[in-house]
Amino acid sequence: MRLVRFRSVLVLVTAAVLAACTSSLPAAHVGATSEPGASGELTSCGTLHPGKPIDPRAPLVVLVHGCNASQGRFSALADLFELHGHQTLCFRYDDRRRVGEVAEELLSALARLAERRERTDLTVLGHSQGGLVARTALALSAARPLDTLRGHLQMSLVTVSAPFNGIDAAADCGSRWLHAITFGATLAICRAIAGPKWRDIHPHARLVERPEPLAVRVVSHLEIRTDERNTCRARRPDGRCGEDDYVFSIREQENAKVDHDQRVRRDTVAAGHAEIVGGDDAPPRKLLSVLQRHGVLNATPADKQGELQALLERLF
């Protein structure tokens, strides 16, 4: 009986950690305009203006992908921003590493980027695990590189479907008693499947229970939550859902200590986890609508409506 229970625990933990790192974007959106750089680099990822250098005076958005998503998979979202007058760069990283370590790399990349900018505004948008990385980077900056820069740099943070309250499916990875009674087997499984970042994604992780405040230079944080119930990522030929698009519950995305900051604005949209940033047959229209509603993007100009429709048809 004990052996059966032990094996059941191992299976549950294995499934839990696998579920905690679901692909954020389908592979259909691979297509960066430049060769992928090393982890921790900012690279071009849009397709509308390949090879165009970054203008230090034009609006700039840095996109941070989620788990299992290469930076090239944000090409559709990058093109939407560029169509609305924003330049884009994508941050590439190894999603198995500790969130704090990756956030330090993002912070350093942003600091180098900010030193070359003449405009004072910069937006960072992170999806899923990328939202954790982005917020952690801008919180770490409270006493670090960005606040030592000259000028009046203002940064805006946008997070989409970010599990700020920890991932329920990974809860067992934070259970010390479970690690003890399984003689470290569950710990080994968590480490083997999720990598070192397992310490940062469960509900009792330090990043969840004691999130640092955002830096002074961060003027706003738009927190977009997705109600992913009854969503579908991929359908079968007969029209039935073959794979749902439910990854995180609303509760997993809510964290009172994060929301306590007066700079936070919250919006909830009924959309799947991948759908919100562009699924196989679902252009990110819902995300575009939310971004326009909160002024992150201007309304699509009348003379750009045809170009927007052509872009969506080409990508989806």
Side-chain angles (χ1 to χ4, degrees), residues 8 40 46 53 59 63 71 83 94 102 107 127 167 191 194 205 207 222 228 231 238 241 263 270 302:
S8 298
L63 302 174
Q71 58 91 22
L83 189 63
D94 178 357
V102 176
L107 176 61
H127 173 242
I167 301 172
R191 186 184 296 115
L207 290 179
L222 174 58
E228 302 170 5
T231 58
D238 61 5
C241 186
R263 291 167 289 182

Side-chain angles (χ1 to χ4, degrees), residues 3-24:
L3 179 58
V4 172
R5 181 175 298 177
F6 177 75
R7 292 181 62 185
S8 298
V9 169
L10 294 185
V11 171
L12 286 173
V13 173
T14 302
V17 183
L18 282 171
C21 194
T22 304
S23 176
S24 299

Side-chain angles (χ1 to χ4, degrees), residues 66-77:
C67 185
N68 282 342
S70 71
Q71 58 91 22
R73 294 179 182 178
F74 257 177
S75 59
L77 191 56

Side-chain angles (χ1 to χ4, degrees), residues 9 13 171-173 175-187:
V9 169
V13 173
D172 288 342
C173 289
S175 175
R176 294 184 179 180
W177 71 265
L178 186 58
H179 298 328
I181 66 172
T182 59
F183 302 101
T186 54
L187 179 61

Side-chain angles (χ1 to χ4, degrees), residues 6 29 38 42 45 55 58 70 85 141 154 171 238 242 253-254 259 265 279 294 307-308:
F6 177 75
H29 291 156
L42 294 172
C45 53
D55 183 348
S70 71
S141 64
Q154 292 185 341
D238 61 5
Q253 299 172 60
E254 294 177 336
D259 296 343
R265 293 173 292 160
H294 289 274
E307 190 175 348
L308 172 62

Side-chain angles (χ1 to χ4, degrees), residues 106-116 122 145-146 149 153:
L106 174 58
L107 176 61
S108 297
L110 291 173
R112 293 192 300 270
L113 181 65
E115 288 177 345
R116 303 194 300 270
L122 179 65
L146 293 179
L149 294 173
L153 174 69

